[in-house]
Amino acid sequence: MGRGWGFLIGLLGAVWLLSSGRGGQQSSETAAQRCFCQVSGYLDDCTCDVETIDRFNNYRLFPRLQKLLESDYFRYYKVNLKRPCPFWNDISQCGRRDCAVKPCQSDEVPDGIKSASYKYSEEANNLLEECEQAERLGAVDESLSEETQKAVLQWTKHDDSSDNFCEADDIQSPDAEYVDLLLNPERYTGYKGPDAWKIWNVIYEENCFKPQTIKRPLNPLASGQENTFYSWLEGNWKFLNKIFFSFKIAFYRLISGLHASINVHLSARYLLQDTWLEKKWGHNITEFQQRFDGILTEGEGPRRLKNLYFLYLIELRALSKVLPFFERPDFQLFTGNKIQDAENKMLLLEILHEIKSFPLHFDENSFFAGDKKEAHKLKEDFRLHFRNISRIMDCVGCFKCRLWGKLQTQGLGTALKILFSEKLIANMPESGPSYEFHLTRQEIVSLFNAFGRISTSVKELENFRNLLQNIH
């Protein structure tokens, strides 16, 4: 992984917090004020405000999205959790039972999903299934039409192309297994400490503009380690601020927003009681404060929450742009149950039209603007750095954390792929195979589940606001 442009980014968000979040704090402030006082109004360079997002997500989008994600098409995700870490060998595996992932038995997964080749329609599934059967027989199936062979070659070429922002699992590997996401929910597992901090530290370090001699503290919650890092940030704030609105800042904010969202999930589904009778999961206010309180994080926590909203707008924008792909008549959420498949497609389109109607969408042109040569370089920079992050997920020692980390990075990578494919989406044929742009089933499942996680985080922030109102 090359050190490159990305982390001047990381520094900017933290510096802004340090320059604006310290000082002036009164002991009479409630915990809600310390966490959320800066998380209101307009989101920096975006035209949207936090309150509009909260109303739209919590009351119009969240309930329907959760219903969709409970359907068979979206609840089963195939993943290889046994891939070795490509960067270091000393992985400490989490031995806690809450870190374990229970894979599906073969008869638990709908036949339509198991037989599909992860393409976007029943037609594509059938074509590729024929090709794969011929390959297993070790012979060329001359009965395949020329059009079918061309489609298979085009899809294979596309899957190996440079359009993908994540290094996807080999789902044909014997180690790849189906997982029921509803039975393996993202929540606190006890995986923390140096092993967990190392993952995020590498993610930030490998995508940061800063001198190599300046290191981010390993433990972001500890005090006394950060003087060199944050002193360098504060000393260079004026220079960094000049390029704050560049596209490079967007990359850091996406990663920071993803990090914040995951921490919200863990704080909202914390193990509060563990006895031989039962386990009780719920909101851990102390854990939330440690990560987002303006004083406890030296001004950084509220900025993390604003980056979460930024990530929400990015993924929301991608979903609004990909609507034509899902509106095509031959697209199906194919599981083999025609009635449920038709109902779920209808619900999916309702959600996407609702997203399309959102009045204050993020304008990605402010980050991805430029001439063709420059735009191509921006895409390549985003892609390479994000692929690095997707590979780091194989180094997570907790398998449940690895599962959700891989799914959410693939979902965000798919959103980026969509944002960089606007012209390809606009030029898709009305029917038949789309050679230039398509999404695999893996990408579709990860895209909506990743957005579902961000949507859940925004909804949970409302709960934490209420819980912290009377705490000082």
Side-chain angles (χ1 to χ4, degrees):
M1 293 187 294
R3 297 179 183 274
W5 53 266
F7 222 55
L8 178 50
I9 303 166
L11 312 177
L12 301 174
V15 168
W16 193 359
L17 277 172
L18 292 174
S19 62
S20 63
R22 293 179 179 175
Q25 300 289 354
Q26 302 297 322
S27 59
S28 60
E29 283 185 323
T30 65
Q33 289 173 319
R34 294 196 300 272
C35 292
F36 296 104
C37 64
Q38 298 176 41
V39 190
S40 63
Y42 288 103
L43 289 168
D44 308 326
D45 48 312
C46 303
T47 59
C48 190
D49 61 89
V50 168
E51 290 76 15
T52 299
I53 296 174
D54 285 342
R55 288 192 299 272
F56 177 78
N57 178 77
N58 298 350
Y59 303 105
R60 294 172 61 181
L61 201 58
F62 178 80
R64 280 184 284 183
L65 183 59
Q66 294 306 302
K67 181 180 178 181
L68 181 72
L69 297 180
E70 291 172 359
S71 68
D72 284 352
Y73 187 90
F74 289 99
R75 69 186 291 180
Y76 296 107
Y77 181 65
K78 198 170 188 181
V79 62
N80 183 357
L81 297 176
K82 298 178 183 178
R83 288 179 60 172
C85 172
F87 304 116
W88 60 84
N89 296 320
D90 57 331
I91 300 180
S92 299
Q93 299 292 350
C94 175
R96 297 173 61 94
R97 57 182 176 177
D98 293 323
C99 285
V101 170
K102 180 183 179 182
C104 297
Q105 299 297 317
S106 179
D107 59 354
E108 295 176 333
V109 183
D111 290 336
I113 291 178
K114 288 187 294 185
S115 64
S117 297
Y118 304 94
K119 302 303 174 181
Y120 61 83
S121 69
E122 181 178 14
E123 175 190 12
N125 289 333
N126 293 337
L127 294 178
L128 281 153
E129 198 173 347
E130 292 177 34
C131 182
E132 288 164 358
Q133 183 178 7
E135 185 177 334
R136 286 194 296 269
L137 294 174
V140 176
D141 187 350
E142 296 180 354
S143 66
L144 290 177
S145 68
E146 183 178 345
E147 182 181 359
T148 299
Q149 294 180 44
K150 181 180 178 182
V152 171
L153 289 173
Q154 289 283 0
W155 281 318
T156 302
K157 179 181 178 182
H158 183 278
D159 287 344
D160 294 333
S161 74
S162 61
D163 290 336
N164 297 317
F165 282 73
C166 290
E167 186 169 302
D169 282 346
D170 176 11
I171 56 174
Q172 303 304 330
S173 166
D175 289 331
E177 298 177 290
Y178 285 101
V179 173
D180 185 337
L181 299 175
L182 298 184
L183 297 182
N184 294 275
E186 183 182 27
R187 59 191 179 191
Y188 178 80
T189 64
Y191 177 66
K192 58 183 180 180
D195 291 330
W197 300 326
K198 182 178 182 180
I199 299 296
W200 286 108
N201 204 54
V202 171
I203 288 174
Y204 286 114
E205 285 285 334
E206 292 295 333
N207 295 278
C208 177
F209 273 136
K210 64 174 183 60
Q212 293 187 14
T213 56
I214 304 297
K215 297 296 183 182
R216 181 176 179 271
L218 180 61
N219 179 358
L221 301 180
S223 60
Q225 303 181 46
E226 68 278 357
N227 292 339
T228 303
F229 178 75
Y230 292 117
S231 296
W232 183 85
L233 288 179
E234 290 183 285
N236 288 274
W237 170 240
K238 290 184 179 179
F239 163 72
L240 298 174
N241 191 46
K242 292 180 181 179
I243 61 168
F244 181 77
F245 295 112
S246 76
F247 76 96
K248 297 175 182 180
I249 303 307
F251 191 91
Y252 165 75
R253 295 174 69 185
L254 290 177
I255 303 307
S256 173
L258 178 60
H259 193 180
S261 179
I262 291 172
N263 282 332
V264 171
H265 304 156
L266 303 186
S267 300
R269 302 197 69 173
Y270 202 90
L271 183 58
L272 302 178
Q273 178 181 319
D274 186 4
T275 67
W276 67 276
L277 284 175
E278 65 172 345
K279 285 189 174 186
K280 182 179 179 181
W281 307 84
H283 295 83
N284 187 321
I285 297 174
T286 301
E287 187 76 12
F288 184 87
Q289 287 181 273
Q290 286 181 338
R291 298 177 186 278
F292 301 111
D293 187 288
I295 293 179
L296 296 178
T297 61
E298 301 191 8
E300 194 175 353
R303 186 65 198 163
R304 294 169 183 162
L305 294 179
K306 293 190 96 171
N307 288 336
L308 188 158
Y309 280 97
F310 177 77
L311 172 62
Y312 182 93
L313 288 178
I314 288 286
E315 296 201 7
L316 192 76
R317 180 61 165 168
L319 289 170
S320 73
K321 284 184 171 292
V322 81
L323 173 60
F325 173 83
F326 292 105
E327 283 185 315
R328 301 168 78 240
D330 60 340
F331 172 79
Q332 294 186 45
L333 296 175
F334 184 66
T335 67
N337 186 323
K338 290 187 177 181
I339 296 177
Q340 288 186 8
D341 290 347
E343 291 176 350
N344 287 329
K345 180 178 179 180
M346 187 179 300
L347 176 58
L348 173 71
L349 293 180
E350 286 179 5
I351 290 171
L352 291 178
H353 279 287
E354 186 73 64
I355 290 173
K356 191 78 173 179
S357 72
F358 185 68
L360 298 171
H361 271 292
F362 170 75
D363 180 11
E364 71 278 9
N365 291 325
S366 62
F367 289 102
F368 308 140
D371 57 35
K372 290 184 178 180
K373 189 174 182 180
E374 189 176 292
H376 179 75
K377 184 180 184 304
L378 298 187
K379 176 181 177 180
E380 189 64 9
D381 282 344
F382 261 72
R383 191 182 70 82
L384 292 177
H385 281 267
F386 205 82
R387 281 178 74 92
N388 276 344
I389 292 174
S390 71
R391 296 173 71 203
I392 293 171
M393 291 299 112
D394 286 317
C395 301
V396 177
C398 166
F399 283 116
K400 187 169 289 183
C401 305
R402 184 182 297 193
L403 163 67
W404 285 99
K406 288 166 78 76
L407 183 143
Q408 289 177 83
T409 52
Q410 185 179 24
L412 178 51
T414 303
L416 293 175
K417 170 182 171 177
I418 293 167
L419 289 177
F420 280 109
S421 303
E422 184 174 12
K423 290 183 179 179
L424 298 179
I425 296 172
N427 294 329
M428 285 188 307
E430 292 184 3
S431 62
S434 173
Y435 297 132
E436 296 301 322
F437 177 85
H438 79 269
L439 298 176
T440 67
R441 180 181 177 274
Q442 289 289 100
E443 289 175 313
I444 295 170
V445 172
S446 64
L447 174 67
F448 281 90
N449 272 284
F451 182 66
R453 295 282 75 209
I454 307 301
S455 174
T456 300
S457 293
V458 172
K459 184 71 170 66
E460 288 294 355
L461 291 185
E462 180 179 62
N463 295 330
F464 277 112
R465 280 190 185 96
N466 295 330
L467 290 170
L468 293 169
Q469 281 294 342
N470 299 317
I471 296 177
H472 290 272

